[in-house]
Amino acid sequence: MATLNETIDAFNRKDYVAVIRMASDLLFENRNNGEAFNLMGAACQMLNKDEQALALFEHANRLMPNDPRVMSNMAAVLCNLDHLERAEELAARALEWMPNQITFILNCARTALKMNKHTEARQYILKALKIDPIHREAHVALGYSLLIC
């Protein structure tokens, strides 16, 4: 039986199929393991299974309602699924908890871009670049935001 740390290691190695199997084992042991639901959801998201990921993140959110990682993960999937108002709300809530987390900032930017809020999106992107001037995803997002305006 895998541990939570081993499951996290598998995620970091990008072995998402293993993450799903290992997280399933963890959930078999304890159906109230919010971390396992979150990891399984993140693995499903990486495998482009957004509907399944959303259901798993919703379970994680019920178990860990103030976890900004879960909020941010849900926001990213909701954005992918074009549930933009809810994505915007969750991304902003996650960012309130961790205002310097670049992934959270870029989730806000991506959602703003999809909502055609280009000025707001660029402000988020520039905030991310102020924290990490060489962040690749932030530079890509900035380039994209300039192209679509």
Side-chain angles (χ1 to χ4, degrees):
M1 183 86 43
T3 66
L4 183 61
N5 285 336
E6 291 169 334
T7 308
I8 292 168
D9 289 343
F11 187 86
N12 291 334
R13 288 192 316 272
K14 301 180 181 186
D15 189 353
Y16 305 123
V17 173
V19 171
I20 292 169
R21 179 184 45 77
M22 296 162 90
S24 293
D25 290 346
L26 291 170
L27 290 168
F28 183 76
E29 276 185 18
N30 175 8
R31 291 295 296 167
N32 293 317
N33 188 333
E35 293 287 349
F37 277 114
N38 190 46
L39 281 166
M40 189 183 292
C44 285
Q45 180 183 7
M46 298 308 291
L47 295 171
N48 297 313
K49 298 179 178 188
D50 288 335
E51 295 285 347
Q52 291 138 313
L54 180 58
L56 291 160
F57 291 143
E58 287 173 342
H59 279 292
N61 190 54
R62 280 192 286 278
L63 296 168
M64 304 184 307
N66 293 318
D67 190 310
R69 297 163 307 145
V70 175
M71 288 180 224
S72 183
N73 288 341
M74 280 181 67
V77 168
L78 287 163
C79 185
N80 289 347
L81 295 171
D82 291 325
H83 299 288
L84 299 177
E85 289 78 19
R86 186 155 180 241
E88 181 180 45
E89 174 198 334
L90 285 169
R93 282 182 50 210
L95 192 58
E96 286 174 11
W97 284 86
M98 298 178 75
N100 293 320
Q101 173 55 259
I102 291 179
T103 303
F104 296 2
I105 296 167
L106 292 178
N107 270 346
C108 290
R110 193 166 72 95
T111 302
L113 283 171
K114 284 189 89 171
M115 297 177 85
N116 294 316
K117 297 179 178 181
H118 303 293
T119 301
E120 184 178 328
R122 269 195 298 283
Q123 289 171 346
Y124 283 122
I125 295 164
L126 293 174
K127 178 180 179 178
L129 288 170
K130 189 172 184 179
I131 294 167
D132 183 355
I134 61 170
H135 195 278
R136 188 183 77 70
E137 289 178 51
H139 280 281
V140 170
L142 181 60
Y144 178 75
S145 74
L146 293 171
L147 279 175
I148 62 174
C149 288

